[in-house]
Amino acid sequence: MTDMTASPQTPAAELMVRAEQVHKSFGPLEVLKGIDLEVRSGEVCCLLGPSGSGKSTFLRCINHLEKIDAGRIWVDGDLIGYRERGGKLYEMRDRDVAAQRRAIGMVFQRFNLFPHMTVLQNVMEAPVLLRQAKKTEAREHAAQLLDRVGLGDKLGAYPGQLSGGQQQRVAIARALAMRPKLMLFDEPTSALDPELVGEVLDTMKDLARDGMTMIVVTHEIGFAREVGDHLVFMDGGVVVEQGDPREVISAPKHERTKAFLAKVL
Amino acid sequence: MSADTSGRARPEPIKAVPVRHPGRWVGVAVIAVLVAMFVHMLVTNSAFQWSFMVDEMFRPPIIEGLRGTILLLITSMVIGIGLGIVIAIMRLSPNPVLRGVAWVYTWFFRAVPRLVLAILFGNLGILWSRLEFGLPFDRQIGALFGLHDFEARLFGFSAVDILTGFVAGMLALGLSEAAYMAEIVRAGIQSVDEGQTEAAQALGMSRAQILRRIVLPQAMRVIIPPTGNETIAMLKDTSLVAFVPVSMELFFQLKAVGSRTFQPFPMYVAATLWYLLLTSVLLVGQYYLERHYSKGFGRSGRARQRLRNLTAESGSTTSGTAQ
Ligand SMILES: Nc1ncnc2c1ncn2[C@@H]1O[C@H](COP(=O)(O)OP(=O)(O)OP(=O)(O)O)[C@@H](O)[C@H]1O
Ligand SMILES: [Mg+2]
């Protein structure tokens, strides 16, 4: 009972994310029915599945935007949202949850940039507000990141003046500004016009090449095949099939995976 | 331009006969006649007593009253907006106690007319001769332990001193305004897309930080126009404090001159002109505020951005990075 050292369930060190039997319901609707997932450091994990299968919900559970009903999620060895002491779970205070989220970047389908701030302000807002860096350093870092996503000439623009692809790249830079260990992408390209998808995927490929650990919900099979280290296919709130992306895509074992891939390919 | 390259001649500019609007001309004529009649009355009707009115409307007591009205407007709106934001945040809080308190507050102050509140606050001195803060029921508790005259009062002051005219009027107007402002601010906060809060949460910001830096600045766009209306309404409601009673107030002073000189009508016209002037000043202020908070939204934001890009191109460093 009083033993507070690592329990046998504590995940191995090189695991960035470990989810165990994650359950989540909205009222009577059970959306996640026991998800198990492991993502190693530096790995790109692609999450595939039909609409309503619970992909977004699962992603939001990882940074505790949604509270899970059962199971456990660890990010970099830290239990998310709770503290476990003497075999008992304690809810974390808002402040501690916020601190955990700082290490996890998230990119949304609809960008969610702050429209009242310029591009540069969007990117440096959180690091300055949360005292991660001095203002001058934060500005320098933000300008660097924006340069890296190809928007070095748009620092003073407002989000409303940018194309969707540019906005999404700003959103990526904004998440990176907190120097996260893990990046979550929720269908980052599905709100974009087809000709703008490429520029965002290229940015993400760069990120993957630099060794960022990423979980990407996407319908871009090409991206999963090319960049993904691991592919997870979800349906109806469970993981139906997972493995090497190239194998799963070329030779799906499960009927539901086959049916889904036939539709999107 | 493509016409040049394709070699085809540019078509002739359109020279069409514009649509006529005879109705408009009739309307203008009718309005012109009405305006002329009105001006004629203003000039010829001796009841207006223009020179008398102009003489009186700038006299020291009136200017004092004007100062009182402006001060009352500013203080009550500051209380109204400040407290209104607090109550709106309480209404939206996950804490049920705060939500309940905020609901009761809005319910009470929206239910009671301002005139009644003004009179009520002016007479609060009847309840207490002194206002004191300390342990409630201190005498009763003292009696339980056999102590006579046990008092646990922290500090106090004479209620009549504090709740005289001006402060009572200011509180009546300000507290009532807070109830209306709370509803306006709440609507503003709720108009901001949920995704904004989520994005900020995902970055690790706290509830207070999100409210202050992300949600409220965006809510301002929705909050300011009705707040302008509230301010103008408040300007007019300041005349209610005559019932507290407060005498340092514009309308009270004008009316006083009217009854003293047995010429009330010119003073009512003077009041109309003063309120028109003050409201016009407020409208100008509102215009600039709205423009400030539309940054990043719509046309005016864009126009300013173009301007900024121009200055950036002409050599100066990006001013957009400041702030
Ligand atoms: N806040 C919520 N309240 C109630 N139901 C919800 C909520 N969020 C999601 N759901 C439901 O949970 C189910 C899974 O939603 P989720 O957004 O996770 O699916 P998804 O796999 O991301 O689908 P898509 O590909 O369309 O984005 C859906 O049936 C959805 O209606
Ligand atoms: Mg989704």
Side-chain angles (χ1 to χ4, degrees), chain B residues 1-61:
Chain B
M1 281 160 216
S2 60
D4 294 339
T5 51
S6 67
R8 279 200 297 168
R10 186 191 155 89
E12 231 175 89
I14 290 175
K15 281 193 212 106
V17 180
V19 178
R20 308 279 180 207
H21 299 282
R24 287 184 195 170
W25 291 106
V26 175
V28 167
V30 170
I31 290 167
V33 169
L34 288 176
V35 168
M37 284 163 71
F38 185 67
V39 170
H40 174 82
M41 177 193 71
L42 289 183
V43 174
T44 57
N45 196 320
S46 59
F48 281 104
Q49 305 249 34
W50 290 109
S51 62
F52 166 75
M53 186 199 86
V54 172
D55 271 355
E56 293 292 332
M57 77 184 279
F58 297 103
R59 282 189 193 280

Side-chain angles (χ1 to χ4, degrees), chain B residues 46-88:
Chain B
S46 59
F48 281 104
Q49 305 249 34
W50 290 109
S51 62
F52 166 75
M53 186 199 86
V54 172
D55 271 355
E56 293 292 332
M57 77 184 279
F58 297 103
R59 282 189 193 280
I62 307 291
I63 300 298
E64 273 297 294
L66 180 70
R67 284 239 295 270
T69 289
I70 292 173
L71 193 65
L72 204 55
L73 172 69
I74 292 172
T75 49
S76 59
M77 281 313 288
V78 166
I79 293 176
I81 292 171
L83 192 60
I85 291 175
V86 171
I87 289 167

Side-chain angles (χ1 to χ4, degrees), chain A residues 26 29 31 49-58 66 109 187 219:
Chain A
F26 292 109
L29 176 71
V31 177
S51 181
S53 57
K55 307 176 300 286
S56 299
T57 305
F58 178 62
E66 301 286 356
Q109 184 174 355
E187 303 198 35
H219 293 305

Side-chain angles (χ1 to χ4, degrees), chain B residues 45-308:
Chain B
N45 196 320
S46 59
F48 281 104
Q49 305 249 34
W50 290 109
S51 62
F52 166 75
M53 186 199 86
V54 172
D55 271 355
E56 293 292 332
M57 77 184 279
F58 297 103
R59 282 189 193 280
I62 307 291
I63 300 298
E64 273 297 294
L66 180 70
R67 284 239 295 270
T69 289
I70 292 173
L71 193 65
L72 204 55
L73 172 69
I74 292 172
T75 49
S76 59
M77 281 313 288
V78 166
I79 293 176
I81 292 171
L83 192 60
I85 291 175
V86 171
I87 289 167
I89 291 169
M90 283 167 66
R91 266 307 277 283
L92 296 170
S93 141
N95 180 335
V97 179
L98 294 182
R99 273 205 311 268
V101 170
W103 187 87
V104 170
Y105 182 96
T106 5
W107 167 76
F108 178 83
F109 280 98
R110 288 212 300 180
V112 184
R114 281 199 181 151
L115 176 62
V116 177
L117 275 180
I119 298 172
L120 191 69
F121 273 64
N123 289 284
L124 278 186
I126 293 170
L127 284 183
W128 314 284
S129 54
R130 285 178 62 74
L131 274 181
E132 292 177 320
F133 291 88
L135 204 61
F137 299 113
D138 49 355
R139 277 168 186 275
Q140 288 80 349
I141 292 171
L144 275 183
F145 293 97
L147 297 169
H148 293 289
D149 293 337
F150 170 78
E151 287 192 349
R153 309 277 155 96
L154 299 177
F155 62 93
F157 34 75
S158 160
V160 184
D161 287 353
I162 284 295
L163 281 178
T164 48
F166 189 84
V167 174
M170 177 185 86
L171 284 179
L173 294 179
L175 295 184
S176 147
E177 185 58 39
Y180 294 93
M181 282 308 302
E183 291 300 294
I184 291 171
V185 173
R186 187 166 68 112
I189 290 176
Q190 284 175 332
S191 76
V192 178
D193 180 27
E194 195 103 18
Q196 293 289 305
T197 304
E198 272 181 11
Q201 275 179 329
L203 286 166
M205 296 187 200
S206 71
R207 230 180 85 81
Q209 286 169 331
I210 295 171
L211 208 56
R212 189 165 50 84
R213 298 288 305 175
I214 309 298
V215 175
L216 276 180
Q218 293 182 58
M220 280 303 180
R221 250 171 10 108
V222 176
I223 292 173
I224 283 177
T227 304
N229 291 342
E230 288 294 308
T231 311
I232 289 166
M234 178 59 84
L235 170 65
K236 294 178 283 187
D237 282 354
T238 51
S239 57
L240 294 177
V241 299
F243 292 91
V244 169
V246 175
S247 54
M248 270 305 112
E249 182 269 313
L250 183 62
F251 186 58
F252 185 93
Q253 292 296 336
L254 285 166
K255 224 168 47 170
V257 174
S259 22
R260 186 161 43 75
T261 57
F262 302 105
Q263 299 277 9
F265 188 73
M267 290 299 106
Y268 296 151
V269 175
T272 307
L273 292 178
W274 270 122
Y275 284 117
L276 270 175
L277 177 74
L278 291 174
T279 304
S280 309
V281 171
L282 290 177
L283 284 175
V284 172
Q286 182 179 1
Y287 168 79
Y288 281 102
L289 264 179
E290 278 180 25
R291 212 175 64 164
H292 175 76
Y293 280 104
S294 63
K295 233 185 343 182
F297 297 90
R299 252 180 302 154
S300 67
R302 246 160 245 209
R304 236 143 17 105
Q305 181 56 33
R306 268 201 300 276
L307 209 63
R308 180 177 289 158

